[in-house]
Structure formats: C-alpha cells, structure tokens
Amino acid sequence: MVSCVVVTVLVLLLVRSAHSQHMAEEPCSVQILVPGLKGEAGEKGEKGAPGRPGRVGPPGDTGERRGETAFGEESPPGLKGQKGIMGHYGKMGPSGLKGLKGDMGEPGPKGSDGDPGLPCECAPLRKMIGEMDNHVAQLTNELKFIKNAVAGVKETDSKVYLLVKEEKRYRDAELYCQGRGGHLAMPKDAAANRAIAGYITEAGLSRVYIGINDLESEGHFVYVERSPMSTFSKWREGEPNNAYENEDCVELVSSGEWVDVACSLTMYFVCEFDKDRI
C-alpha cells in the first residue's frame, strides 16, 4: 500500500513539471480594443411614461416688497403706463354750490313802441305817493327806535344809554344816534364805562361800537363830538395797535376794555343821550 502512495506522488510531480514547462513556452499576448466609426442615428423611440413627481424643494429667499429696495428704502417710481381706455360713465353727482353772479350781459335791442296810453293828470298823484313813502319810511325808523327803547335803557346821573341791536358800520351808527338827538356812547369816566359794559353783558353781547376814533389824526383818539380824551381811558393791553393800518374806530367789549377796530365792520352799538335834552 505504501508503494502505491509513492507511485501516486511521483505521477503528480511529473504532471506538474510538464505543465510548468508548457506555460513557460507559451508567449504572452496583449489585446487592444479600438472604437469603430460612429454609426448613423437610429429612429426616435416612443415617448416614455412620465416619471414620478420629485420632492418639494426648499423655500426660496424672501422677495423685495413692491415699492421698496432690498434695504427697505423707497424705490423710485416706475415709468408712467399708457393711458387706458375710457371707462363707463358714472352716476351724476350731487349739485355743486351756487356760483358767483355773472357779469351783466349786453343790452338787448330796443323794443317796438307801445300803444299810446290814455291821457292822465298823474303828476299830483305821483307827488302824493312819494310823500306817503317818505312818511312810511320815517314811521318805520321811529317804530324800530321805540321797540329798542321799550326793551330797556341804562341811566347814570346825567346820561341815558340805549343799546341798538342793528348791525351798522361806525359812521352809519353815529348818524343813527344823531338822528335821534344823541351820539355814540362816550364813556368819559369809570362809572359810565362800567354802566355800558354791564349793559352789553346783560344783553348777552360781547362787543359794541362806542363814540371814540382817530379818523382825523392817526394815533390821536378823540370822542365822536371831537372833545379830547384827557381824563379817562380803558385800553386793553397791547391796544390800540392799528393792525392792518386801518383800525381807526373803537369797540367796547363786555369786560369794559377798549379795542381799536376797522370802521367798516358792522356790529351793534350804544347811543348816548343827555338827560336834560330828553
């Protein structure tokens, strides 16, 4: 049995040796693959099936606000767009305020002569009607004066004061008082001034014209009957100031102070009458 093993080993060694010699005698070979020429394009294949939707991407950066730059500053206005087409007419709006009276138009053409009238002695009748109109106007003024007097007057030892609740300019107010035998009130002492101030306060008024002005000489105030102001004055602080260069008349306010004002203003006024002349 030992001999059989030895023989087997020898046979294997011989076979291995023969194989080694054969491998040594076989030359080495290297194969190099070279690409051929590009072939012609094939026909377009059919459209494949749509792929699956991709995942939602991350959010983008915040965009700029309209009308602002990236630094928050206001951007310049864009170019003016083209004029759009006219829209539909809207509903008629409310009526506007009444406009100013227009200028007088050109006189029209002269009309044709009328038919001759009947003869009439109208001159005496017209004269009578005119006289009646004057009497009515005078009675109307007297009635207004009586109504004001009945409403109440104020008295001092020597004067009677009447508050007239008709707004007039300074000169018209003085003429009104003169037509009834008096003048605009002229407070020449503290007692008279307090009486007039209390009078207008009781009547619920804030100011009235009084008989003081500097119409003849700017800055030189006198009473309306041209007597000088030498004994008493009650100017408010800062007055008279002749604001706007036209304040030549005087008002008395409810506090009893005097203020120079424009003579063109219209306001209530107080007339003054001497008791010994009533």
Side-chain angles (χ1 to χ4, degrees):
M1 182 170 179
V2 175
S3 60
C4 290
V5 172
V6 174
V7 173
T8 301
V9 172
L10 291 174
V11 171
L12 290 174
L13 289 174
L14 292 174
V15 172
R16 184 175 181 183
S17 176
H19 179 71
S20 296
Q21 292 177 359
H22 175 76
M23 290 294 295
E25 294 175 357
E26 187 176 357
C28 295
S29 62
V30 177
Q31 294 181 354
I32 300 175
L33 300 178
V34 178
L37 298 176
K38 184 177 181 181
E40 296 179 357
E43 296 181 358
K44 184 177 180 181
E46 296 180 358
K47 184 176 180 181
R52 292 182 297 174
R55 296 181 180 179
V56 177
D61 297 333
T62 303
E64 297 178 2
R65 293 180 58 188
R66 183 180 182 184
E68 294 185 358
T69 64
F71 299 100
E73 301 175 352
E74 186 174 352
S75 62
L79 298 176
K80 183 177 180 181
Q82 296 181 351
K83 184 177 180 181
I85 60 174
M86 182 181 292
H88 296 291
Y89 288 103
K91 295 181 179 180
M92 182 179 295
S95 301
L97 299 176
K98 184 178 180 180
L100 299 176
K101 185 177 180 179
D103 298 332
M104 181 179 293
E106 297 292 333
K110 182 179 178 181
S112 57
D113 295 336
D115 297 331
L118 297 176
C120 175
E121 297 294 333
C122 298
L125 183 60
R126 290 195 185 97
K127 183 178 179 181
M128 185 182 301
I129 293 174
E131 291 176 352
M132 291 178 63
D133 288 340
N134 291 335
H135 286 304
V136 170
Q138 184 177 356
L139 289 172
T140 300
N141 290 332
E142 295 298 331
L143 180 60
K144 289 182 180 179
F145 180 78
I146 292 172
K147 285 182 178 179
N148 287 327
V150 171
V153 296
K154 286 289 181 181
E155 296 184 35
T156 61
D157 293 339
S158 60
K159 302 291 183 180
V160 175
Y161 298 104
L162 172 65
L163 173 62
V164 181
K165 292 185 177 180
E166 292 184 39
E167 292 187 341
K168 293 183 181 295
R169 294 183 177 89
Y170 184 88
R171 293 182 186 274
D172 295 335
E174 170 61 13
L175 289 174
Y176 182 95
C177 295
Q178 288 183 11
R180 285 145 186 84
H183 290 285
L184 283 172
M186 296 172 285
K188 296 183 178 181
D189 55 48
N193 201 72
R194 284 195 301 271
I196 300 172
Y199 193 7
I200 66 173
T201 300
E202 291 173 7
L205 304 178
S206 60
R207 62 179 189 169
V208 294
Y209 271 135
I210 56 175
I212 301 172
N213 65 75
D214 68 343
L215 288 167
E216 294 185 357
S217 178
E218 178 59 39
H220 181 65
F221 285 88
V222 296
Y223 292 108
V224 71
E225 29 81 304
R226 292 185 172 81
S227 62
M229 292 175 52
S230 58
T231 59
F232 176 75
S233 66
K234 191 68 173 176
W235 293 108
R236 175 181 284 178
E237 184 177 356
E239 301 288 345
N241 58 14
N242 194 32
Y244 308 108
E245 303 295 328
N246 68 342
E247 294 187 340
D248 298 322
C249 296
V250 179
E251 66 178 7
L252 184 145
V253 297
S254 58
S255 64
E257 296 174 307
W258 302 351
V259 179
D260 63 336
V261 295
C263 302
S264 59
L265 297 177
T266 59
M267 67 176 77
Y268 296 158
F269 53 96
V270 175
C271 293
E272 173 186 299
F273 306 93
D274 292 328
K275 274 190 174 181
D276 56 2
R277 294 185 180 179
I278 297 178

